[in-house]
């Protein structure tokens, strides 16, 4: 009856079952997997956000595959503020970055063809690719303490098969928080050019860098030596995932870029998924970027600094992180990360993701969201420390 693309076991896993049980028994779980900013106690200017939706022009239905010019100009304005020139005609609006991925997989890959993805990285790739019939070929990010994460180019070269159509770069990556460096982008461009691959760049967390760093690639929207698609959206930039606005900026060699834009028009025209009120609100919402981002950066930095202090002389090692909303802890390997995560949930009412959730290639890592309020974060981390010191 059903397609083979939905190949997953849809039964709740051990974690989900235990969480349900605990909640039924009235436990208060300290959730260090929380990545929903609307539940993390930030101060949203609700009146301004909701007020922007009530604009008369939104009563007109103007189907446009790239999205309304007024909204695409706002996206171009966002890049202009960051020092990058973007042509609004090369912007396609989507309902989310996840939808943007699905458009790009449709654009670039036939059934059974492949895209290269970083490992460790964001777990949704597996689902996004499988739903489009696309295969994933991992390339590795390699960690050296305390310098941080670098692309292992041997593994990139090995992952480029004849079926490969694109390389995905996530900068900064989730959950490693590592930014792509200019020298890495140069090498990726050379590999893409040699093997006729497109570069798909996910920059959803790029406004959340902790320090300035000249060696970093700020945004790849100006990358035109190979066909390049840069994605981002309001779910992270404005911490408004519920408003559903993302985009793709297309760049590349003349001719190829125009052809890609036209083909994306065709895909986007089939769905026309972004609502008029949201598009008309984009300009007003983007004005809230600085206050929203500074609240989030304060929270995330505060939690990270505290975590660095308390883990310094402990059995837990905090991996270097350059930006984003997550931190990675390496736990002693007398238990697997699944055992650590289960023990924390079962005995301490603390929920943290085990590293394998993000395809860490070895044991034993725990991934913590840095978004929770400081008091919740500190209590949860103190319980993790106590567990690790006890066991
Ligand atoms: C790296 C990365 N890309 C994309 C997304 C999805 O964003 P959106 O809500 O725009 O689909 C996420 C969500 O957590 C993410 O971590």
């Amino acid at each position: 009856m059903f397609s083979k693309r939905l190949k997953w076991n849809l039964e709740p896993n051990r974690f989900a079952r235990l969480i349900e049980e605990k909640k039924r028994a009235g436990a208060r779980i300290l959730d260090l997997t929380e990545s929903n900013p609307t539940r993390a106690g930030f101060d949203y200017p609700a009146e301004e956000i909701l007020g922007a939706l009530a604009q008369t022009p939104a009563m007109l239905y103007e189907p446009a595959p790239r999205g309304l010019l007024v909204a695409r100009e706002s996206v171009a304005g966002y890049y202009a503020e960051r020092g990058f020139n973007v042509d609004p005609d090369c912007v396609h609006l989507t309902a989310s970055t996840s939808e943007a991925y699905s458009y790009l997989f449709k654009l670039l890959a036939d059934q059974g063809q492949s895209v290269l993805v970083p490992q460790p990285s964001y777990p949704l790739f597996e689902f996004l690719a499988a739903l489009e019939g696309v295969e994933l070929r991992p390339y590795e990010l390699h960690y050296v303490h305390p310098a941080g994460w670098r692309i292992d180019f041997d593994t990139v070269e090995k992952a480029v098969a004849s079926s490969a159509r694109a390389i995905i770069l996530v900068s900064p990556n989730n959950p490693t928080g590592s930014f792509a460096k200019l020298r890495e982008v140069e090498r990726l461009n050379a590999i893409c050019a040699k093997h006729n691959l497109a570069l798909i760049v996910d920059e959803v967390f790029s406004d959340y860098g902790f320090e300035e760093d000249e060696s970093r690639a700020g945004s790849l929207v100006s990358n035109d030596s190979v066909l390049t698609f840069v994605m981002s959206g309001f779910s992270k930039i404005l911490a408004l995932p519920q408003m559903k606005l993302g985009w793709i900026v297309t760049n590349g060699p003349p001719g190829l870029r125009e052809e890609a834009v036209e083909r994306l028009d065709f895909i986007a025209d089939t769905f026309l998924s972004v609502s008029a009120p949201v598009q008309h609100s984009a300009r007003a919402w983007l004005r809230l970027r600085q206050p929203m981002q500074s609240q989030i950066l304060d929270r995330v930095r505060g939690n990270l600094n505290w975590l660095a202090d308390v883990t310094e002389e402990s059995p837990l090692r905090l991996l270097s992180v350059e930006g984003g909303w997550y931190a990675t802890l390496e736990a002693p390997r007398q238990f697997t990360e699944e055992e650590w995560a289960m023990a924390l949930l079962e005995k301490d009412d603390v929920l943290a993701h085990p590293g394998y959730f993000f395809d860490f290639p070895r044991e034993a890592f725990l991934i913590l969201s840095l978004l929770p309020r400081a008091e919740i974060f500190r209590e949860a981390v103190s319980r993790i420390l106590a567990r690790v010191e006890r066991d």
Side-chain angles (χ1 to χ4, degrees):
M1 175 66 77
F2 301 112
S3 91
K4 290 197 182 61
R5 277 175 288 178
L6 275 157
K7 58 189 179 182
W8 303 280
N9 177 1
L10 303 180
E11 297 290 309
N13 64 21
R14 283 172 74 196
F15 284 97
R17 285 200 305 270
L18 184 54
I19 293 167
E20 266 319 300
E21 248 172 59
K22 289 212 156 243
K23 281 188 178 160
R24 269 200 306 272
R28 177 173 171 256
I29 295 172
L30 302 179
D31 187 358
L32 291 180
T33 68
E34 183 60 270
S35 59
N36 179 348
T38 65
R39 283 200 297 232
F42 294 112
D43 193 9
Y44 285 91
E47 266 182 36
E48 266 175 274
I49 294 170
L50 295 174
L53 286 163
Q55 294 183 53
T56 313
M59 288 306 293
L60 189 65
Y61 180 42
E62 299 175 272
R66 291 176 203 172
L68 297 175
L69 181 60
V70 59
R72 287 183 285 119
E73 282 174 346
S74 306
V75 171
Y78 158 72
Y79 286 104
E81 273 178 32
R82 298 175 54 203
F84 297 97
N85 186 24
V86 164
D87 176 354
D89 274 344
C90 293
V91 175
H92 286 84
L93 302 181
T94 59
S96 63
T97 318
S98 311
E99 188 180 63
Y101 273 113
S102 82
Y103 283 12
L104 293 175
F105 292 162
K106 289 186 221 306
L107 175 74
L108 297 166
D110 287 315
Q111 295 269 317
Q113 290 188 317
S114 57
V115 294
L116 273 61
V117 286
Q119 181 186 44
S121 195
Y122 171 56
L124 209 66
F125 288 143
E126 183 192 343
F127 307 115
L128 291 167
L131 291 173
E132 300 299 329
V134 171
E135 310 273 328
L136 295 180
R137 295 182 65 88
Y139 67 89
E140 286 171 26
L141 304 181
H142 178 64
Y143 183 77
V144 177
H145 197 71
W149 297 87
R150 295 285 178 274
I151 297 175
D152 178 342
F153 278 94
D154 277 351
T155 64
V156 179
E157 298 278 2
K158 282 192 191 118
V160 178
S162 56
S163 64
R165 310 296 296 131
I167 300 180
I168 293 178
L169 179 66
V170 186
S171 181
N173 187 37
N174 172 1
T176 60
S178 47
F179 279 83
K181 306 297 177 296
L182 289 164
R183 288 178 55 187
E184 292 178 318
V185 172
E186 242 173 65
R187 287 185 74 174
L188 286 173
N189 277 338
I191 294 170
C192 286
K194 179 170 161 203
H195 298 282
N196 204 23
L197 306 174
L199 195 55
I200 297 176
V201 191
D202 179 334
E203 295 184 351
V204 295
F205 287 111
S206 67
D207 288 338
Y208 298 97
F210 303 143
E211 311 281 346
E212 294 294 316
D213 180 351
E214 301 254 300
S215 69
R216 247 179 230 162
S219 169
L220 265 69
V221 285
S222 311
N223 196 57
D224 59 4
S225 61
V226 299
L227 187 59
T228 303
F229 303 96
V230 173
M231 298 174 299
S232 193
F234 285 2
S235 93
K236 307 292 185 287
I237 287 181
L238 296 174
L240 291 174
Q242 76 278 36
M243 295 308 178
K244 308 305 296 176
L245 189 73
W247 59 80
I248 303 166
V249 178
T250 303
N251 209 337
L256 194 54
R257 156 161 125 163
E258 285 70 26
E259 194 181 342
V261 166
E262 260 175 47
R263 284 170 180 255
L264 271 177
D265 281 350
F266 188 90
I267 296 169
D269 201 27
T270 310
F271 298 100
L272 295 169
S273 53
V274 191
S275 78
V278 163
Q279 296 188 61
H280 284 287
S281 303
R283 186 180 304 268
W285 288 346
L286 274 167
R287 278 190 225 117
L288 308 172
R289 183 164 79 93
Q290 294 307 344
M292 278 318 301
Q293 290 185 354
S294 52
Q295 280 187 69
I296 295 176
L297 268 168
D298 281 353
R299 171 84 60 84
V300 162
R301 272 205 191 100
N303 282 341
L304 184 66
N305 291 341
W306 184 84
L307 185 62
D309 283 349
V310 296
T311 51
E312 203 175 357
E313 307 269 310
S314 84
L316 293 169
R317 178 166 79 155
L318 172 64
L319 272 52
S320 303
V321 53
E322 297 171 70
W325 293 359
Y326 304 94
T328 304
L329 288 178
E330 186 170 9
R333 268 184 258 175
Q334 76 258 33
F335 297 117
T336 65
E337 53 201 16
E338 162 119 359
E339 285 165 343
W340 280 123
M342 273 310 266
L344 286 166
L345 181 57
E346 215 164 355
K347 300 177 185 164
D348 304 308
D349 292 343
V350 169
L351 184 59
H353 274 134
Y356 69 78
F357 189 80
F358 297 86
D359 269 343
F360 273 65
R362 66 173 183 84
E363 299 283 343
F365 296 95
L366 292 172
I367 315 302
L368 316 187
S369 167
L370 296 167
L371 283 187
R373 288 186 179 89
E375 58 279 14
I376 296 175
F377 186 82
R378 291 179 182 201
E379 174 59 32
V381 170
S382 304
R383 292 187 198 179
I384 298 178
L385 276 169
R387 168 79 28 219
V388 171
E389 272 155 11
R390 189 177 318 137
D391 291 353

